[in-house]
Amino acid sequence: MAPHLLLLLRILFFLTGVSYTQSVSTVSHVSVKQGGSITIPCLYNQRYRNNVKYWCRGYYWLGCSSVVRTDHPKTSGKTSVSDDINQRVFTVTMTSLSPSDSDYYWCIVDRNSKADDGARLQISVTPGTPEIYVDQQELTGVVGGSVTVLCYYSSQGSTGGWCRMGGSCVAVGLSGALNGTCVKLVQEQRETTNGYVLMVTMRGLMMENTGWYWCEKGDLQMPVHITVNQPTTTQSTTASEYIKPNQNNEGTDEMQQEKDQRLERTFFYLLKAGSALLFLLCTIIAVVKFRENRHQDDTKDALTPESCFWRNLPTVCTKYFSPERKNNTLSVQNITKESLQ
């Protein structure tokens, strides 16, 4: 393509800050605290795997100042760049940020003889608390396990969300799935931070969940990278507590229902067994008490030398409690029987 036509294309499609191919994407606006650092992911199309990528500063693509490149220089001052061709993402890290670093920047792919392709974003450096931030941009999980991201922001304002870079989003207060993984968002007010926190929980992690995500609040985003590894022996026990969901999340609901039914059946059988044991115990106690009462009745009916005259049986007492008799205790029934003989 002739040089003047390339220049014309650049003027038409990039002077406004809009990429006409939309083959490169990134966040649109991040807020960073003074003295802190930020890593910006730039996702590109598969066909750009072997192209040079660079980070450029300026509101307009045409005339922006190149800062770092994936060929040279990869590091310049407090800015560095790296390229992961497998994930199709090149990342730019800026450290020790100051208010003077607040500006518009570009993620750009050098397409050699063709017009370069890129996407623009804004970085705002503030001396106070950023409008949206996270504790750390890098998190790690294991297959089958879970990971929780806390996104802090200063005001409730518009509805927040959690998005997969180059994919779909899940809104606050809803549960959904991203790449087959269950995602739940809960928004709370935190007095300690004098603001709000968006708690993002991803359960049933899979290897394909490795990648870049972001919390969003209005026009602001905060990128977060999640790495999913194979579990070790110790981690496998923890990871097995979670159910791996399928693509539409129906499998998780069915397995949960089956688990609840098993628990209900187990409780029912335990209740029946407990009732049977209680009945058996009550029966044993009743039999023992009955035998004790019968023994007490026999004891009350026995005659002794002391009770013989109390019952007004002088003849019987003389006969049956003589010194010659070895047995000085007889029941009334036995004495009556002997008297009749």
Side-chain angles (χ1 to χ4, degrees):
M1 186 179 291
H4 66 280
L5 292 179
L6 287 176
L7 179 61
L8 180 60
L9 285 174
R10 292 184 176 185
I11 293 174
L12 290 176
F13 295 108
F14 292 106
L15 187 60
T16 60
V18 179
S19 172
Y20 72 98
T21 61
Q22 297 181 344
S23 296
V24 179
S25 61
T26 186
V27 293
S28 60
H29 189 188
V30 295
S31 179
V32 190
K33 186 175 182 179
Q34 180 177 345
S37 61
I38 187 70
T39 297
I40 302 295
C42 304
L43 180 67
Y44 54 84
N45 191 280
Q46 176 71 22
R47 64 176 179 270
Y48 294 153
R49 282 168 53 95
N50 300 320
N51 289 66
V52 173
K53 294 88 179 177
Y54 61 99
W55 179 251
C56 203
R57 179 174 181 171
Y59 184 82
Y60 296 111
W61 169 82
L62 188 64
C64 69
S65 301
S66 177
V67 181
V68 287
R69 298 170 59 93
T70 56
D71 54 356
H72 183 76
K74 291 186 177 181
T75 301
S76 177
K78 52 189 180 181
T79 306
S80 60
V81 63
S82 62
D83 188 12
D84 185 345
I85 61 175
N86 295 320
Q87 293 290 326
R88 298 182 294 107
V89 174
F90 75 94
T91 56
V92 177
T93 301
M94 300 176 66
T95 60
S96 304
L97 290 168
S98 63
S100 61
D101 294 312
S102 298
D103 206 341
Y104 288 90
Y105 294 84
W106 288 81
C107 299
I108 301 178
V109 175
D110 189 343
R111 299 203 300 170
N112 301 321
S113 60
K114 298 180 180 179
D116 294 347
D117 191 3
R120 188 182 67 184
L121 70 145
Q122 181 182 1
I123 297 178
S124 300
V125 182
T126 174
T129 302
E131 294 184 51
I132 182 171
Y133 65 95
V134 293
D135 293 325
Q136 51 185 340
Q137 282 191 269
E138 294 280 346
L139 294 174
T140 303
V142 297
V143 173
S146 67
V147 65
T148 300
V149 182
L150 298 180
C151 304
Y152 303 92
Y153 45 94
S154 56
S155 59
Q156 188 170 5
S158 58
T159 303
W162 175 253
C163 303
R164 174 73 186 257
M165 191 170 185
S168 57
C169 300
V170 177
V172 169
L174 300 176
S175 295
L178 293 177
N179 296 100
T181 296
C182 180
V183 181
K184 183 177 181 180
L185 277 65
V186 178
Q187 180 175 288
E188 299 177 352
Q189 185 173 5
R190 291 287 178 91
E191 296 180 358
T192 54
T193 58
N194 194 27
Y196 296 83
V197 60
L198 176 63
M199 183 181 300
V200 181
T201 302
M202 298 179 63
R203 296 183 181 274
L205 293 173
M206 299 178 287
M207 292 295 292
E208 50 265 38
N209 295 134
T210 295
W212 282 95
Y213 301 78
W214 68 65
C215 301
E216 66 176 9
K217 194 69 176 176
D219 65 338
L220 286 165
Q221 300 91 32
M222 177 51 63
V224 177
H225 186 266
I226 296 177
T227 303
V228 181
N229 299 318
Q230 290 291 348
T232 61
T233 303
T234 303
Q235 293 171 324
S236 297
T237 303
T238 304
S240 63
E241 298 176 1
Y242 301 102
I243 300 172
K244 181 179 179 180
N246 58 14
Q247 293 296 326
N248 57 12
N249 208 33
E250 291 179 356
T252 301
D253 296 336
E254 293 176 357
M255 295 180 69
Q256 184 63 38
Q257 291 176 1
E258 183 179 351
K259 182 178 179 181
D260 293 340
Q261 291 175 357
R262 287 199 303 267
L263 289 175
E264 290 177 0
R265 288 195 297 268
T266 302
F267 178 76
F268 175 73
Y269 291 137
L270 288 176
L271 185 61
K272 290 187 66 177
S275 299
L277 288 174
L278 181 60
F279 176 77
L280 179 60
L281 181 61
C282 292
T283 303
I284 293 173
I285 293 174
V287 171
V288 172
K289 296 294 290 184
F290 175 76
R291 292 173 66 97
E292 288 179 352
N293 292 336
R294 184 174 180 181
H295 177 70
Q296 290 175 0
D297 291 340
D298 290 342
T299 303
K300 291 178 180 178
D301 290 339
L303 287 175
T304 62
E306 291 78 10
S307 64
C308 182
F309 292 97
W310 175 79
R311 297 196 181 195
N312 196 20
L313 299 171
T315 304
V316 175
C317 292
T318 303
K319 179 180 180 181
Y320 293 101
F321 291 106
S322 61
E324 290 79 9
R325 294 187 66 96
K326 296 181 180 180
N327 183 12
N328 286 335
T329 302
L330 295 172
S331 66
V332 174
Q333 292 86 348
N334 291 337
I335 294 174
T336 305
K337 182 177 180 181
E338 289 190 30
S339 301
L340 293 174
Q341 292 177 353

